[in-house]
Amino acid sequence: MTDLAFTDAFRLARMIENKELSPVELTEHMIGRINRLNPEINAYLSPLESAAREQAAAAEKEIMAGIYKGPLHGIPIGIKDNYKTKGIRTTAGSKLLGDFTPDINATVVDKLSAGGAVMLGKLNMQPFGAGLAGHNQDFGAPRNPWNKKNIPGGSSSGSVAALASGMAAVVTGTDTFGSNRVPAAFTGVYGLKPTYGLVSTHGIFPPAWSLDTAGPIARSVPDLAIMLEHMAGFDPDDPASLRTSLQNYMEGLDADIRGMKIGIPDYYIQGLDKSVEKLFKSAVAILEEMDAEVREMEIPELSLAPFAGFVTTAGEAAAYNYEGMKKYPEAYPKDVRVLLSTGLLSSTAQYEKAQQARRKLVEGLQKAFTEVDVLLGPTAPMTAPKISSKPGAQSLEVVQKCTPFTVPANLAGIPALSVPMGMDKKGLPAGMQFMGPHLSEKKLLQLAKAWEETGPLKKKYGELEVNRL
């Protein structure tokens, strides 16, 4: 049964469809793990035992009656707590929202529910999605299941902690400047930032509206594909939503990557910790052995990303949180206050300069994609650091170190997929990310699936000390 908690969702789906596994049995197993492990890992802010049991029973009844909705039917999932859930407390990781209970669901929540998913609960997160370390002064930070003394990454901290400790089959996250990818890298899972507008953000608390994306996090690439199929699609309630034809992301997932052109910008191989640099060189060698065409390239416009990303994020987040900062400044964590205060003090001229830099970055990336199919670089320049006694300072430091690697994809609105790259000498996972042009998710998933087959992690999730309890 422990293995069941770490079985890929697409395999669980086959078992459920073939009536070899009961959604009720699976959900009870997950609830049991949450009750046992969550006090230690702190992944869930609001477990939903009763609702999950009802949903699982309903799914089982439908399936036994011959009504099978697809590969999420009866699958237990976790929802990041910045997704609004009707009648269910939604905090966005902050007590500032108190016991706020929305009267609507986020569009993605409705889509996942329509697919028959079982919602186990609302997941912990860095407040308002503003950070990459995963700290939370109000509810306590989730722990990294690989080593509880290390940060899990953020802001989708509870999402990755739940996955790596077997407390959900798949989870949702959001990514404004790396909040899906950095925690995925720090905990050895797969995190996707889709093309801007492919997945609706209606009903999701936004840190920065022009950068925000909602996406899946999973323990396998097929699970990402299944989740993306359910999450993607045009939404008239989201002004940024794309009118594009839906794809079957599972179809052709095992495509041959021989001859795929992969570019490594020199920007991404600077300032790496030695362990990450060594793992990245090894990963590149493996991709070359797989007959991908890998080469280094220059994209000088990437150097504009830290400035454009910080000013854009700070300005847009400050605008959204203006009233809250004005009335309850002390309710915001120190690092979030620094970000928002900077945004409040920035000028229209600075924001305009940031958008000009952003346009140059977009043009530089567009030119690069005329030469290669995919760009590759480390997701973060280090593995997960130890939890600091000064969380505010650590949050700012992690943002400063990791944002240059992740925010280019957000500024350009392009998809990026973080995959486990290997493990350092301390036994901590490191990640690398594949980036492609707009709406190239299928190609990124195919490449990531080929990479997954190489077995980048030498240790299974179920072998982690916390998962043996």
Side-chain angles (χ1 to χ4, degrees):
M1 288 296 286
T2 298
D3 289 340
L4 196 63
F6 297 99
T7 301
D8 293 335
F10 78 96
R11 299 184 192 280
L12 293 173
R14 290 174 185 168
M15 296 167 69
I16 289 173
E17 183 181 14
N18 294 331
K19 301 182 178 64
E20 298 168 358
L21 176 64
S22 156
V24 171
E25 176 187 19
L26 177 60
T27 298
E28 284 295 338
H29 181 56
M30 290 293 189
I31 290 173
R33 290 186 65 83
I34 293 170
N35 288 336
R36 188 168 74 255
L37 296 177
N38 198 56
E40 186 174 4
I41 300 298
N42 199 27
Y44 284 90
L45 293 179
S46 301
L48 301 170
E49 289 187 31
S50 297
R53 288 188 172 107
E54 290 176 7
Q55 293 167 17
E60 182 165 305
K61 184 177 180 180
E62 290 169 339
I63 293 166
M64 295 305 292
I67 304 169
Y68 182 66
K69 296 179 178 179
L72 279 186
H73 203 176
I75 299 296
I77 69 171
I79 302 292
K80 188 175 178 179
D81 204 31
N82 57 346
Y83 287 66
K84 291 180 180 179
T85 42
K86 186 176 181 180
I88 298 170
R89 186 180 73 149
T90 301
T91 71
S94 172
K95 287 185 177 178
L96 185 64
L97 293 179
D99 291 322
F100 171 63
T101 52
D103 57 5
I104 64 164
N105 281 329
T107 297
V108 168
V109 172
D110 279 336
K111 284 175 171 282
L112 295 173
S113 297
V118 174
M119 185 163 59
L120 291 168
K122 304 296 293 294
L123 292 160
N124 202 346
M125 58 179 287
Q126 194 151 349
F128 301 106
L132 297 176
H135 295 301
N136 189 312
Q137 70 175 21
D138 288 342
F139 300 110
R143 299 291 171 166
N144 189 330
W146 291 83
N147 190 323
K148 291 177 290 182
K149 294 180 180 179
N150 295 68
I151 65 171
S155 64
S156 302
S157 47
S159 298
V160 295
L163 274 180
S165 58
M167 290 192 281
V170 284
V171 296
T172 66
T174 53
D175 193 310
T176 301
F177 46 86
S179 288
N180 263 13
R181 289 164 288 154
V182 170
F186 284 176
T187 57
V189 296
Y190 296 80
L192 175 64
K193 182 213 106 47
T195 297
Y196 182 75
L198 179 63
V199 176
S200 171
T201 57
H202 173 67
I204 299 175
F205 285 100
W209 70 270
S210 76
L211 303 175
D212 292 337
T213 53
I217 311 176
R219 289 187 297 262
S220 74
V221 176
D223 290 356
L224 283 183
I226 288 171
M227 283 287 280
L228 185 60
E229 284 185 23
H230 284 79
M231 295 172 74
F234 175 71
D235 178 12
D237 291 324
D238 179 1
S241 186
L242 295 176
R243 290 183 179 272
T244 183
S245 57
L246 296 180
Q247 295 193 48
N248 181 344
Y249 294 105
M250 285 291 286
E251 187 177 45
L253 200 56
D254 293 312
D256 197 336
I257 68 162
R258 284 182 294 181
M260 186 177 289
K261 297 178 181 178
I262 301 175
I264 302 174
D266 56 357
Y267 172 91
Y268 277 101
I269 52 180
Q270 301 173 26
L272 304 177
D273 283 2
K274 289 184 178 179
S275 59
V276 172
E277 183 179 8
K278 182 178 180 181
L279 288 168
F280 186 64
K281 287 180 178 178
S282 176
V284 170
I286 293 172
L287 287 169
E288 289 175 334
E289 291 172 4
M290 297 166 71
D291 291 329
E293 297 179 14
V294 186
R295 68 180 179 91
E296 293 185 15
M297 62 192 306
E298 292 185 4
I299 309 177
E301 294 86 355
L302 282 168
S303 64
L304 300 170
F307 163 72
F310 182 79
V311 174
T312 301
T313 303
E316 294 180 3
Y320 182 79
N321 289 278
Y322 177 77
E323 290 298 328
M325 276 289 286
K326 187 177 178 181
K327 296 178 181 178
Y328 315 106
E330 296 303 318
Y332 291 87
K334 179 182 177 182
D335 57 307
V336 178
R337 286 204 307 273
V338 170
L339 174 71
L340 297 180
S341 297
T342 304
L344 290 171
L345 294 172
S346 63
S347 65
T348 304
Q350 286 176 311
Y351 186 83
E352 179 61 25
K353 285 182 180 178
Q355 303 320 302
Q356 291 172 353
R358 185 177 184 176
R359 172 47 53 190
K360 290 179 181 178
L361 169 64
V362 169
E363 291 172 353
L365 289 171
Q366 287 175 337
K367 182 177 182 297
F369 287 126
T370 64
E371 302 174 23
V372 297
D373 300 310
V374 173
L375 295 175
L376 169 65
T379 306
M382 73 282 200
T383 54
K386 287 188 178 298
I387 297 170
S388 170
S389 60
K390 298 179 179 179
Q394 184 174 47
S395 289
L396 293 171
E397 182 183 7
V398 174
V399 165
Q400 184 181 24
K401 288 185 175 181
C402 294
T403 298
F405 290 81
T406 52
V407 81
N410 300 90
L411 289 164
I414 61 175
L417 198 168
S418 180
V419 301
M421 181 168 63
M423 298 170 63
D424 68 8
K425 291 181 179 180
K426 299 175 184 177
L428 294 171
M432 64 182 184
Q433 58 181 332
F434 301 117
M435 296 162 279
H438 282 82
L439 299 174
S440 62
E441 279 81 0
K442 191 158 190 171
K443 181 171 290 185
L444 296 188
L445 289 164
Q446 290 170 343
L447 178 54
K449 179 63 164 60
W451 173 255
E452 182 183 8
E453 294 297 322
T454 69
L457 290 179
K458 306 307 178 188
K459 195 172 187 178
K460 296 180 180 179
Y461 306 108
E463 296 172 352
L464 301 182
E465 181 182 353
V466 69
N467 294 326
R468 295 200 297 266
L469 296 178

